[in-house]
Amino acid sequence: GAGVSQSPSNKVTEKGKDVELRCDPISGHTALYWYRQSLGQGLEFLIYFQGNSAPDKSGLPSDRFSAERTGGSVSTLTIQRTQQEDSAVYLCASSRSGVDDREQYFGPGTRLTVT
Amino acid sequence: QKEVEQDPGPLSVPEGAIVSLNCTYSNSAFQYFMWYRQYSRKGPELLMYTYSSGNKEDGRFTAQVDKSSKYISLFIRDSQPSDSATYLCAMRGGPSGGSNYKLTFGKGTLLTVNP
């Protein structure tokens, strides 16, 4: 079956521009996560969506970052006024339920480069 | 001190060697421990999932958890060139804890198995 898909796979943008990253979770998965993986760093939690509940945004590094999930499925991560330190791989994951769920399935990521 | 410490390597071994990968952690609330494998330019994939102290074996892979020492290990027997990847440890709290869906990752260890 189809896994988690993300688009675009690569994005190069100029400093100060806004970018949108898209995630399509596995069908039927109610939980969706965004992580950031910077060079030499582990995966850093950004935000968590579970069904219709309010998202956990505690990992977002600044108010330039926002995310939404429409219809409980597709999610978009938006970075406004991008900075060079935003350059990283942005990974999306989904799981069946979130709470006490065993496995998070990851997408291939979007590699963002801010010049 | 970071919550999860993992030696980034790189680690280079000959084919057939036994590989030992390790992580230490400081948060005693962590109860579930995972090892992910990440090939270059791909998303992480779950290799092993353990709860509580002890060993868990799956083919050539053995995961070991020592909660008293806050230390987890992944052993790879008869390593193959196809095992060359970055190995990430991850952990989270139990069902009674808050935010137990959040995974905290180590930085990852880059492993190369030479034919």
Side-chain angles (χ1 to χ4, degrees), chain A residues 4-70:
Chain A
V4 177
S5 59
Q6 292 186 245
S7 61
S9 54
N10 284 283
K11 176 73 177 178
V12 180
T13 190
E14 291 180 354
K15 178 181 170 182
K17 301 276 189 178
D18 298 352
V19 295
E20 282 190 354
L21 313 179
R22 178 187 166 105
C23 172
D24 278 275
I26 293 172
S27 177
H29 281 191
T30 61
L32 186 147
Y33 315 75
W34 283 98
Y35 292 88
R36 178 169 71 174
Q37 188 173 31
S38 305
L39 190 64
Q41 301 296 316
L43 274 75
E44 172 191 15
F45 169 83
L46 295 178
I47 189 168
Y48 163 74
F49 295 92
Q50 169 54 36
N52 295 321
S53 302
D56 177 351
K57 305 179 183 180
S58 60
L60 295 178
S62 78
D63 58 9
R64 297 186 295 104
F65 288 72
S66 63
E68 62 177 22
R69 189 178 185 192
T70 53

Side-chain angles (χ1 to χ4, degrees), chain B residues 46-59:
Chain B
L46 183 66
L47 264 183
M48 299 286 285
Y49 181 102
T50 54
Y51 171 73
S52 79
S53 289
N55 291 359
K56 182 177 181 179
E57 191 172 316
D58 184 0

Side-chain angles (χ1 to χ4, degrees), chain B residues 3-108:
Chain B
E3 279 193 297
V4 180
E5 300 277 2
Q6 183 177 9
D7 186 341
L11 183 61
S12 181
V13 301
E15 183 175 354
I18 296 174
V19 176
S20 172
L21 304 166
N22 312 293
C23 288
T24 58
Y25 62 96
S26 57
N27 189 343
S28 56
F30 290 142
Q31 294 190 29
Y32 293 89
F33 305 90
M34 286 137 272
W35 286 94
Y36 281 82
R37 177 175 61 194
Q38 186 176 24
Y39 291 115
S40 180
R41 298 194 173 254
K42 301 285 188 185
E45 57 177 329
L46 183 66
L47 264 183
M48 299 286 285
Y49 181 102
T50 54
Y51 171 73
S52 79
S53 289
N55 291 359
K56 182 177 181 179
E57 191 172 316
D58 184 0
R60 296 184 295 111
F61 298 90
T62 300
Q64 198 171 74
V65 174
D66 182 348
K67 283 188 176 178
S68 62
S69 302
K70 297 190 176 67
Y71 187 88
I72 69 170
S73 301
L74 177 71
F75 298 96
I76 307 174
R77 290 185 301 280
D78 188 25
S79 56
Q80 303 295 309
S82 58
D83 295 329
S84 298
T86 296
Y87 289 80
L88 299 153
C89 63
M91 44 200 81
R92 66 173 177 87
S96 60
S99 304
N100 60 346
Y101 45 80
K102 259 188 224 182
L103 292 180
T104 301
F105 284 84
K107 289 186 179 181

